[in-house]
């Protein structure tokens, strides 16, 4: 079956522009997560969706970052007024149900590499 | 504040030998630990996990060991194969958020 897909795979933008990153989770997965990986670092949690609700947005680094999910499916991560420190790989993951990360395996997409010039 | 640390950024091992990857954590609320494997231009893929109620979990060539008192876990790959060359991430969780280490790049030499 299809895995988690993300688009675009690469995005180069100028400082100050807005960007939208898209995630298509595995069909039927109710939990969806966004992480980012800066160069040389591990993945950092950004936000968690259960259905269309986001009970945990604690990892979003600033109010320039927002995310939404519709139809318990596609999610969009939006970064407004991008800064150079936003350059990273943004990864989306989905899991079947409760989102209990340990016992409910998270499946990752290939990521979007964002470069802010 | 990095709660999961992989102190070895890289590891080179001969094909057929054992690869040992190490991971340390600081958060005592973590009760589930995972290893993910990542190839270039792909997302991380789940490899093996262990609950805090166990000290060992084995799956084929992969074994994860957990030492709770030391807040340390390790991944053993025996025997190492060329296809094992990848970046390995250690992750830990106490709920649904995964906290990741920075990764260890494993190179298996023929």
């Amino acid at each position: 079956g299809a895995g988690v897909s993300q688009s675009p795979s690469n995005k180069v933008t100028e400082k100050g522009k807005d960007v939208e990153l898209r995630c298509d989770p595995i069909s039927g997965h109710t939990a969806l997560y966004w992480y980012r990986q800066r160069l040389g670092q591990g993945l950092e949690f950004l936000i968690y969706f259960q259905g269309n609700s986001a009970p945990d947005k604690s990892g979003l680094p600033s109010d320039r970052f927002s995310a939404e999910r519709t139809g318990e499916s596609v999610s969009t991560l939006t970064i407004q007024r991008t800064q150079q420190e936003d350059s990273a790989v943004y990864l989306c993951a989905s899991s079947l149900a409760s989102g209990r990360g340990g016992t409910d395996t998270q499946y990752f997409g290939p990521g979007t590499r964002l470069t802010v010039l | 504040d990095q709660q999961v640390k992989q102190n070895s950024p890289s590891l080179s091992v001969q094909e057929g030998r054992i690869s040992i990857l190490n991971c340390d954590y600081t958060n005592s609320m973590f009760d589930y630990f995972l290893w993910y494997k990542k190839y270039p231009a792909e997302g991380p893929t789940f490899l093996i996990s262990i609950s805090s109620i166990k000290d060992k979990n084995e799956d084929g060539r992969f074994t994860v060991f957990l030492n709770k008192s030391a807040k340390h876990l390790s991944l053993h790959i025996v025997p190492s194969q060329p296809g094992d060359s990848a970046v390995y991430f250690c992750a830990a969780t106490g709920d649904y958020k995964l906290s990741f280490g920075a990764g260890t790049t494993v190179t298996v030499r023929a």
Side-chain angles (χ1 to χ4, degrees):
Chain A
V4 178
S5 60
Q6 293 185 245
S7 61
S9 55
N10 280 285
K11 177 72 177 178
V12 180
T13 191
E14 293 179 348
K15 178 181 171 181
K17 301 280 189 182
D18 297 352
V19 295
E20 282 190 356
L21 312 180
R22 177 186 168 110
C23 171
D24 285 88
I26 294 172
S27 177
H29 279 194
T30 63
L32 185 147
Y33 318 78
W34 283 96
Y35 293 84
R36 76 173 175 182
Q37 184 183 16
R38 292 172 164 175
L39 191 64
Q41 300 183 19
L43 284 73
E44 311 168 60
F45 168 81
L46 297 179
I47 186 170
Y48 156 60
F49 285 93
Q50 183 59 46
N52 293 335
S53 302
D56 189 346
K57 305 179 183 179
S58 63
L60 294 179
S62 76
D63 59 8
R64 296 186 295 105
F65 287 71
S66 62
E68 64 174 16
R69 188 179 185 196
T70 56
E72 295 198 354
S73 180
V74 172
S75 176
T76 303
L77 177 69
T78 301
I79 309 173
Q80 295 179 310
R81 305 181 303 282
T82 53
Q83 303 294 312
Q84 288 181 333
E85 63 263 26
D86 300 335
S87 296
V89 177
Y90 289 82
L91 291 139
C92 174
S94 69
S95 64
L96 186 59
S98 67
R100 169 80 176 152
T103 57
D104 200 12
T105 302
Q106 295 183 27
Y107 296 89
F108 283 83
T112 294
R113 181 176 296 278
L114 175 65
T115 303
V116 182
L117 302 176
Chain B
D1 176 25
Q2 207 171 357
Q3 300 184 77
V4 178
K5 293 184 181 179
Q6 294 176 256
N7 292 319
S8 296
S10 63
L11 173 69
S12 180
V13 64
Q14 186 118 31
E15 182 178 0
R17 305 295 290 268
I18 184 172
S19 295
I20 300 177
L21 292 80
N22 293 301
C23 177
D24 297 291
Y25 63 96
T26 58
N27 190 336
S28 58
M29 298 301 292
F30 290 151
D31 62 359
Y32 208 86
F33 305 89
L34 310 91
W35 286 92
Y36 278 80
K37 176 179 178 179
K38 185 181 182 304
Y39 293 117
E42 295 182 11
T45 55
F46 171 74
L47 192 58
I48 191 170
S49 63
I50 188 167
S51 164
S52 60
I53 62 172
K54 295 185 175 181
D55 55 18
K56 177 182 174 181
N57 188 27
E58 191 171 354
D59 184 3
R61 297 185 297 113
F62 302 91
T63 303
V64 56
F65 296 91
L66 175 63
N67 182 334
K68 282 191 298 182
S69 60
K71 294 191 174 67
H72 177 84
L73 65 156
S74 61
L75 175 68
H76 292 204
I77 307 173
V78 183
S80 300
Q81 299 175 353
D84 297 332
S85 295
V87 179
Y88 290 78
F89 291 98
C90 170
T93 183
D95 48 30
Y96 46 79
K97 288 184 283 195
L98 295 177
S99 295
F100 283 84
T104 296
T105 300
V106 173
T107 303
V108 180
R109 309 184 310 270

